[in-house]
Amino acid sequence: MHFHQMVGSIEIVCGSMFSGKTEELLRRVKRAQIARQKVQVFKPLIDDRYSLDHVQSHNAARVPSIPVQNAKEILEKMDDNTRVVGIDEVQFFDKEIVDVVQKLAYRGIQVVCAGLDMDFRGLPFGPMADLMCVAEKVTKLQAVCMVCAAPATRSQKVFSDQGQNENQIDLGAHDKYEARCRFCHEPEGVHFPAHQIGLRHARNEDSTNEEVI
Ligand code: ADP
Ligand code: MG
Ligand code: ZN
């Protein structure tokens, strides 16, 4: 084994929903596989939106993954010869995940974690801030704002007619959330998705609730 392959590190890929976090995680995983490194991908059991044993992006790219109940289970399910660990939806783990990924990095493993940096209210999500602090590399991705088409950093909660779920964790994709920029984001949630209210192309055309000082 070459020296550089033994240098462990933590990489965080964060951003709003639809920003391409899972795509980027899968891209890094595939590069490691091309380099003939053994890879294991984990995800919290809570995320069963697409499949229990695959990590999948919104555009349908997917790789096999190992579902785990908690952070410690990642250590238990690690194979000895694994060089690269991917973790998707890492925001759903509790703060124990920080110690777990630190341990892996000290063992010489490249750890790539993807997760939401903010919840739908725009507040830091779970262990993400702590993970970013200890990481060697942090990549913050942006989606496209569904209201004004600017780069989007927030996940807009869209309440359906069938009732409301105000919990921080309410899994869903196109039906429950959409990407929005800081200025179009409404932290309390909205009742109509952007395609029903129309695209507001230039923000200065709509000065009804904005005062320029
Ligand atoms: P994430 O894991 O960050 O939620 P994914 O990697 O699963 O994102 O999906 C990213 C893909 O989602 C994009 O490549 C694009 O095809 C699609 N997509 C859907 N809505 C948007 C949006 N508002 N902005 C950017 N990409 C979007
Ligand atoms: Mg994802
Ligand atoms: Zn916007």
Side-chain angles (χ1 to χ4, degrees), residues 16-19 142-156 178-186 194-195 197-201 203:
S16 68
M17 287 189 70
F18 307 106
S19 62
Q142 295 177 326
V144 176
C145 175
M146 297 306 280
V147 177
C148 76
T153 51
R154 308 283 198 281
S155 304
Q156 178 64 53
E178 61 189 21
R180 292 201 183 184
C181 72
R182 171 189 294 280
F183 299 101
C184 297
H185 179 248
E186 298 185 40
H195 65 84
I197 61 175
L199 188 71
R200 206 191 307 153
H201 257 297
R203 292 204 52 77

Side-chain angles (χ1 to χ4, degrees), residues 2-178:
H2 297 291
F3 175 74
H4 70 271
Q5 291 176 323
M6 295 178 57
V7 179
S9 65
I10 299 169
E11 300 168 21
I12 305 298
V13 178
C14 67
S16 68
M17 287 189 70
F18 307 106
S19 62
K21 302 180 300 296
T22 300
E23 277 174 8
E24 179 60 18
L25 174 78
L26 297 183
R27 190 181 73 85
R28 295 186 194 184
V29 160
K30 283 175 186 160
R31 284 176 57 89
Q33 287 168 335
I34 289 167
R36 290 185 223 87
Q37 295 179 312
K38 172 144 167 88
V39 178
Q40 280 182 283
V41 178
F42 298 92
K43 68 174 189 177
L45 205 46
I46 183 173
D47 181 33
D48 60 356
R49 274 175 293 178
Y50 302 106
S51 127
L52 273 179
D53 53 5
H54 283 80
V55 161
Q56 185 164 344
S57 70
H58 291 116
N59 70 358
R62 55 191 238 150
V63 298
S65 68
I66 304 159
V68 288
Q69 299 267 11
N70 54 53
K72 280 222 176 74
E73 224 179 295
I74 294 174
L75 294 176
E76 292 160 14
K77 295 195 166 159
M78 279 281 297
D79 295 334
D80 287 343
N81 52 351
T82 294
R83 309 303 317 150
V84 178
V85 165
I87 308 173
D88 200 15
E89 303 291 354
V90 72
Q91 78 278 355
F92 288 140
F93 289 98
D94 61 29
K95 292 212 170 163
E96 216 176 27
I97 192 71
V98 182
D99 290 334
V100 168
V101 298
Q102 291 265 67
K103 269 197 184 106
L104 294 176
Y106 281 121
R107 282 189 206 166
I109 287 162
Q110 179 193 353
V111 189
V112 185
C113 302
L116 291 167
D117 45 5
M118 287 177 256
D119 65 13
F120 74 86
R121 293 192 172 87
L123 301 175
F125 210 133
M128 292 304 289
D130 300 57
L131 285 170
M132 289 184 221
C133 289
V134 299
E136 270 75 11
K137 178 175 164 182
V138 177
T139 306
K140 185 152 174 160
L141 301 175
Q142 295 177 326
V144 176
C145 175
M146 297 306 280
V147 177
C148 76
T153 51
R154 308 283 198 281
S155 304
Q156 178 64 53
K157 173 92 177 154
V158 182
F159 293 117
S160 65
D161 298 335
Q162 287 97 301
Q164 303 188 357
N165 183 341
E166 304 211 355
N167 295 332
Q168 187 182 37
I169 297 174
D170 179 18
L171 297 174
H174 292 277
D175 55 332
K176 291 179 182 166
Y177 298 97
E178 61 189 21

